[in-house]
């Protein structure tokens, strides 16, 4: 690793990996993760690819990403510690969920809406069976991008299925290098089957004796591609918060959405762009056109959908811009479920909304995968509760990233932190269709409010919470 990065590496590595609070899991669970020697060796190799190889293949991306990292990180520290918080602009008059609000998003430079249909897939039992069906039905191509492609027994099982599928149709797998390598060193909550030994290099396992095409997303400045996107036959796509591994299969509370219709064409182009950029030509591959493309067919019941990106190298902050507009414009309610809440501008906007009488409710995990983030969440919750918001504790790890502002909603991969809003690559989808929104309420928010316990203000009185919240701003 270049000397310049050595003093920064602990902070930058956290851009891609949570600081696991379960590092002391019992030895009977450790076989589900790489041993320390193998894991650390792979991390060193990943760090080399993230610095030297990324700089060679992706010089433009490296420069743009570096500028974003070294501007937004210190800026967040300063803005988060200003004692007086002022709303300098009045709330928009356009109500979220109305044509006027959609027009406001258009005027704000966000991507235009496209037609599609959404189906909600809650938790592993909701997502993986549908994934199995689409994999079996695919006749032309399967493209998959994950932040984490783990090396546990679930990931290995699906790797074998994907190898078998690749004998019939082309299958491409793209995963984030550092995000996946860090995950390989952390065991799931539940033990692996007796005798299971995780492969040390999941990319090598995927490629061995198979027709699979596999690429790693490089990590200039150790920043990650947090996107989760799967596309089958240019016809059906999945996106949301779930990766490939045991946590998502059976342990965590999480959400994916099935997307059909013409908007899948844009999602296919998003994957193709990331795939080309992760190849040997790096940034130069952006001048190439995809070799194969088929326009998706229209679907019945299609509604307007808007894709939102965060991409520092492309100067895109769609998710942050849309989130702040939705919060500031909300007149009746703002409902949020997210595991990592540390972005000061969003917290300030939510506090202002609560003070003006909006029904602000936030669901956080009772125990996440990072002790620092758990304490940081409490620091954010303290300000929200003081402003009149209701903050809830979901009984286990909820990894959902979903929000409703009046009649407008968004769901995707983005957390409520500096990384997801300004630095990492993220992908969300937003909509205002009433029927689709009611289904989101019915399947996610209403049952999760019932299952959660309201956090009292007194519970947020932790001496280190302000420090943890400041640190969490950077994680």
């Amino acid at each position: 690793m270049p000397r310049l990065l050595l003093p920064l590496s602990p902070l930058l590595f956290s851009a891609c990996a949570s600081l696991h609070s379960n590092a002391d899991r019992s030895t009977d669970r450790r076989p589900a993760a790489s041993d320390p020697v193998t894991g650390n060796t792979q991390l060193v190799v990943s760090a080399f690819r993230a610095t030297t190889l990324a700089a060679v293949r992706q010089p433009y991306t490296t420069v743009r990403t570096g500028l974003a990292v070294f501007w937004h990180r210190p800026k967040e520290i300063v803005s988060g510690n200003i004692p007086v918080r002022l709303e300098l602009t009045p709330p928009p008059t356009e109500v979220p969920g109305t044509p006027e609000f959609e027009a406001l998003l258009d005027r704000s430079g966000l991507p235009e809406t496209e037609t599609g249909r959404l189906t909600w897939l809650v938790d592993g039992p909701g997502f993986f069976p549908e994934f199995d069906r689409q994999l079996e039905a695919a006749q032309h191509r399967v493209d998959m991008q994950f932040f984490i492609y783990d090396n546990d027994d679930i990931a290995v099982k699906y790797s074998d299925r994907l190898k078998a599928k690749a004998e019939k149709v082309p299958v491409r797998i793209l995963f984030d290098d550092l995000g996946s390598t860090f995950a390989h060193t952390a065991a799931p909550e539940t033990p692996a089957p007796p005798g299971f030994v995780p492969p040390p290099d999941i990319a090598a396992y995927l490629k061995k004796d198979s027709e699979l095409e596999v690429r790693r997303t490089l990590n200039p400045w150790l920043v990650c591609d947090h996107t989760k996107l799967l596309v089958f036959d240019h016809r059906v796509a999945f996106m949301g918060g779930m990766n490939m591994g045991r946590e998502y299969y059976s342990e965590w509370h999480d959400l994916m959405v099935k997307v059909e219709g013409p908007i899948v064409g844009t999602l296919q182009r998003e994957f193709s762009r990331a795939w080309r950029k992760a190849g040997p030509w790096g940034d130069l591959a952006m001048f190439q056109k995809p070799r194969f493309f088929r326009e998706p067919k229209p679907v019945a019941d299609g509604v307007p959908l808007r894709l939102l990106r965060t991409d520092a190298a492309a100067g895109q902050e769609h998710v942050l811009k849309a989130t702040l507009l939705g919060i500031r414009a909300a007149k009746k309610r703002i409902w949020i479920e997210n595991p990592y809440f540390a972005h000061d501008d969003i917290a300030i906007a939510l506090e202002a909304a609560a003070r003006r009488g909006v029904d602000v409710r936030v669901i956080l995990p009772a125990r996440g995968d990072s002790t620092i983030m758990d304490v940081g969440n409490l620091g954010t919750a303290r300000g929200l509760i003081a402003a009149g918001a209701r903050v809830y504790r979901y009984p286990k790890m909820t990894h959902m990233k979903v929000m409703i502002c009046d009649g407008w909603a968004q769901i995707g991969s983005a957390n409520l932190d500096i990384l997801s809003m300004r630095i990492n690559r993220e992908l969300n989808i937003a909509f205002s269709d009433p029927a689709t929104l009611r289904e989101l309420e019915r399947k996610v928010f209403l049952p999760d409010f019932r299952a959660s316990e309201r956090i009292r203000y007194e519970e947020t009185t932790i001496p280190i919470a302000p420090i943890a919240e400041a640190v969490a701003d950077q994680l």
Side-chain angles (χ1 to χ4, degrees):
M1 184 183 296
R3 291 184 180 180
L4 176 63
L5 289 178
L6 284 174
L8 299 170
S9 59
L11 182 59
L12 293 175
F13 270 132
S14 66
C16 301
S18 59
L19 306 179
H20 283 266
S21 58
N22 298 317
D24 57 349
R25 290 185 177 117
S26 57
T27 54
D28 65 319
R29 293 177 179 175
R30 292 305 302 171
S34 297
D35 64 83
V37 174
T38 300
N40 289 332
T41 300
Q42 292 296 327
L43 283 174
V44 171
V45 174
S46 294
F48 170 79
R49 287 192 292 256
T51 52
T52 306
L53 187 59
V56 172
R57 287 187 180 179
Q58 301 177 355
Y60 175 80
T61 298
T62 298
V63 171
R64 287 292 300 267
T65 303
L67 291 173
V69 168
F70 288 101
W71 169 251
H72 289 301
R73 283 188 181 278
K75 180 183 175 184
E76 184 74 5
I77 293 174
V78 173
S79 65
N81 289 280
I82 295 175
V84 180
R85 300 182 174 186
L86 300 175
E87 284 283 332
L88 300 179
T89 57
T93 58
E94 296 86 349
V95 178
T98 64
E100 291 77 17
F101 182 76
E102 295 295 337
L104 172 63
L105 298 179
D106 291 335
R107 294 194 303 273
S108 300
L110 299 179
E112 296 181 355
T113 60
E114 300 178 72
T115 303
R117 181 173 62 207
L118 302 183
T119 304
W120 304 105
L121 307 172
V122 180
D123 294 337
F127 168 62
F128 280 93
E130 184 61 26
F131 171 83
D132 293 339
R133 284 190 286 270
Q134 296 302 327
L135 182 63
E136 178 66 25
Q139 298 179 357
H140 303 288
R141 179 176 293 279
V142 176
D143 290 331
M144 303 193 305
Q145 180 181 4
F146 294 102
F147 171 55
I148 291 172
Y149 199 109
D150 217 331
N151 65 344
D152 59 24
D153 60 303
I154 297 299
V156 168
K157 179 180 75 172
Y158 273 93
S159 296
D160 293 340
R161 292 183 184 178
L162 290 165
K163 286 183 179 184
K165 187 65 178 182
E167 295 176 359
K168 303 174 184 177
V169 302
V171 177
R172 297 187 290 183
I173 300 175
L174 176 64
F175 59 82
D176 189 85
D177 191 1
L178 282 176
S180 297
T181 305
F182 267 103
H184 296 169
T185 66
E189 291 284 347
T190 50
F196 173 76
V197 177
D201 186 336
I202 194 64
Y205 183 85
L206 286 163
K207 293 176 183 178
K208 184 179 179 181
D209 301 324
S210 82
E211 301 295 322
L212 284 173
E213 293 185 78
V214 181
R215 288 180 180 175
R216 295 178 172 94
T217 300
L218 295 178
N219 306 98
W221 296 102
L222 308 182
V223 169
C224 295
D225 192 329
H226 199 236
T227 304
K228 296 89 173 174
L229 174 63
L230 294 73
V231 186
F232 300 86
D233 287 348
H234 303 260
R235 176 182 53 84
V236 173
F238 298 126
M239 55 179 292
M242 299 179 74
N243 293 296
M244 178 57 73
R246 176 175 281 273
E247 287 92 343
Y248 312 93
Y249 186 81
S250 60
E251 295 178 353
W252 289 1
H253 187 43
D254 213 335
L255 180 66
M256 292 290 271
V257 62
K258 177 182 174 183
V259 187
E260 301 169 275
I263 197 171
V264 175
T266 300
L267 291 171
Q268 179 66 64
R269 284 186 283 270
E270 288 284 341
F271 175 89
S272 296
R273 181 180 183 276
W275 177 262
R276 297 196 309 276
K277 192 172 183 177
W281 291 99
D283 285 341
L284 291 176
M286 295 299 94
F287 296 101
Q288 300 173 347
K289 292 184 178 180
R291 293 174 297 174
F292 174 81
F293 185 76
R294 178 185 291 109
E295 285 290 346
K297 296 180 181 179
V299 293
D301 309 323
V303 302
L305 304 171
R306 189 187 304 267
L307 293 176
L308 304 172
R309 266 285 184 199
T310 300
D311 189 339
Q316 296 173 337
E317 297 182 357
H318 303 155
V319 178
L320 176 60
K321 187 177 292 186
T323 298
L324 288 175
L325 284 172
I327 292 172
R328 289 170 176 164
K331 304 298 187 291
K332 295 182 178 180
R333 65 168 174 175
I334 303 169
W335 294 354
I336 292 174
E337 186 163 353
N338 202 287
Y340 315 114
F341 195 162
H343 196 281
D344 292 310
D345 289 347
I346 295 176
I348 293 169
L350 276 176
E351 290 171 13
R355 285 193 294 268
R356 68 174 183 264
V358 177
D359 174 19
V360 176
R361 307 186 203 178
V362 177
I363 300 175
L364 302 170
R367 183 177 65 86
D369 60 343
S370 165
T371 302
I372 291 177
M373 294 304 301
D374 287 345
V375 178
N377 281 345
L378 284 179
T380 302
R382 184 176 180 83
L384 293 174
I385 295 171
R390 286 181 278 180
V391 183
Y392 296 85
R393 182 186 292 112
Y394 191 76
K396 63 178 183 177
M397 173 57 174
T398 174
H399 195 245
M400 292 190 176
K401 302 95 163 45
V402 62
M403 178 177 74
I404 295 177
C405 297
D406 289 347
W408 175 83
Q410 66 168 314
I411 172 260
S413 67
N415 298 311
L416 297 178
D417 56 27
I418 183 76
L419 291 173
S420 288
M421 294 296 126
R422 296 191 185 273
I423 297 175
N424 282 344
R425 289 193 84 233
E426 304 283 358
L427 180 63
N428 279 18
I429 194 166
F431 59 92
S432 297
D433 176 65
T436 307
L437 192 138
R438 286 194 298 270
E439 191 71 2
L440 175 61
E441 292 177 7
R442 187 178 70 83
K443 290 198 170 183
V444 174
F445 278 104
L446 296 180
D448 286 4
F449 284 139
R450 289 193 295 268
S452 300
E453 177 185 3
R454 189 170 173 179
I455 299 175
R456 294 177 289 109
Y457 182 80
E458 295 76 18
E459 297 178 72
T460 66
T461 309
I462 299 177
I464 65 169
I467 299 175
E469 196 274 333
V471 174
D473 282 349
Q474 303 298 308
L475 301 186

